[in-house]
Amino acid sequence: MKQKTLIGGAVILILVGAYLATRQHTDHTSSMTKEDHVQDGTMDHSMMVNSEEEFITMMIPHHQEAIDSAKIILAASSSSAEIILLAENILIAQEQEVTTMMDWHIRWFGSAYEPSNTYTPMMRDLSSLTGTELDKAFLEDMIPHHQGALMMAESVQPHITRDELRGFTAGIITTQSEEIKAMRELLKTL
């Protein structure tokens, strides 16, 4: 009887520990769970980074893809006011962040950032779409795109040695988590 009680207690402790670990991950990402990664196709180890330099060299083209997609939304006169505002916010924030990362690449790693062929685009070509079809495709693609940025920002945490980058990644996690929530709500209206 005592042994069964001990085993039962151990099982409960393991389950509670697993639950707390899951809650900690979910709370940290605020809008992204492991299930979200699997459903949206972003549970991709290529989004994981192991150094500050790798984070910067991967995040620059990742941001550029979001910038280019936001520009398509802004050039289209058919998008809703809410989606235009979202695209403007993405464009402004991520252009500034790209400039910052390029500057850091020079200062921290001694050379200008050089684009490579290693980045795989996550978003479809939006240039031929209009109206609701464009808005929907933008949101459907930008949600997992932002989740990819969150994965990069989270995976670099143990490798960060510079406070500037720690604050920068915290900003990405906060801003893009909030944008994911907003995009999910906007998608429901289309």
Side-chain angles (χ1 to χ4, degrees):
M1 178 81 168
K2 188 175 183 181
Q3 188 176 17
K4 285 183 181 179
T5 303
L6 287 174
I7 292 171
V11 168
I12 290 170
L13 284 175
I14 290 169
L15 292 173
V16 168
Y19 170 77
L20 291 174
T22 302
R23 288 300 314 150
Q24 182 180 20
H25 174 73
T26 302
D27 290 344
H28 177 66
T29 60
S30 73
S31 68
M32 182 179 63
T33 65
K34 184 175 180 180
E35 290 76 25
D36 287 333
H37 290 309
V38 172
Q39 283 179 348
D40 291 328
T42 58
M43 185 55 102
D44 179 359
H45 292 291
S46 68
M47 302 307 291
M48 308 297 272
V49 295
N50 297 308
S51 71
E52 292 173 324
E53 185 172 10
E54 186 179 18
F55 173 81
I56 289 171
T57 59
M58 285 182 65
M59 191 59 81
I60 290 172
H62 188 80
H63 269 20
Q64 190 60 54
E65 182 178 27
I67 291 165
D68 294 343
S69 295
K71 286 179 179 177
I72 291 170
I73 291 291
L74 296 174
S77 59
S78 58
S79 292
S80 72
E82 295 88 357
I83 293 177
I84 289 171
L85 179 60
L86 173 70
E88 286 173 345
N89 290 339
I90 289 170
L91 180 71
I92 291 166
Q94 294 195 20
E95 280 184 335
Q96 290 173 349
E97 290 172 356
V98 165
T99 300
T100 298
M101 289 186 286
M102 286 183 165
D103 179 57
W104 285 344
H105 199 283
I106 292 168
R107 288 192 297 128
W108 296 348
F109 311 117
S111 64
Y113 164 77
E114 291 289 331
S116 72
N117 306 5
T118 59
Y119 180 75
T120 303
M122 295 182 68
M123 299 184 73
R124 66 190 110 169
D125 180 10
L126 303 175
S127 61
S128 64
L129 304 176
T130 60
T132 303
E133 188 180 9
L134 172 61
D135 290 352
K136 187 174 180 184
F138 175 74
L139 294 173
E140 286 174 346
D141 289 3
M142 193 61 75
I143 291 168
H145 191 269
H146 270 26
Q147 289 174 330
L150 294 179
M151 287 184 72
M152 283 191 275
E154 291 167 356
S155 67
V156 76
Q157 294 304 308
H159 310 288
I160 293 177
T161 61
R162 296 170 174 93
D163 288 338
E164 298 124 296
L165 189 58
R166 192 171 315 284
F168 183 85
T169 55
I172 287 174
I173 290 168
T174 299
T175 302
Q176 294 199 19
S177 292
E178 290 170 4
E179 288 177 347
I180 288 169
K181 288 178 189 175
M183 288 186 284
R184 285 180 173 158
E185 289 305 310
L186 285 170
L187 199 50
K188 290 176 188 176
T189 68
L190 299 178

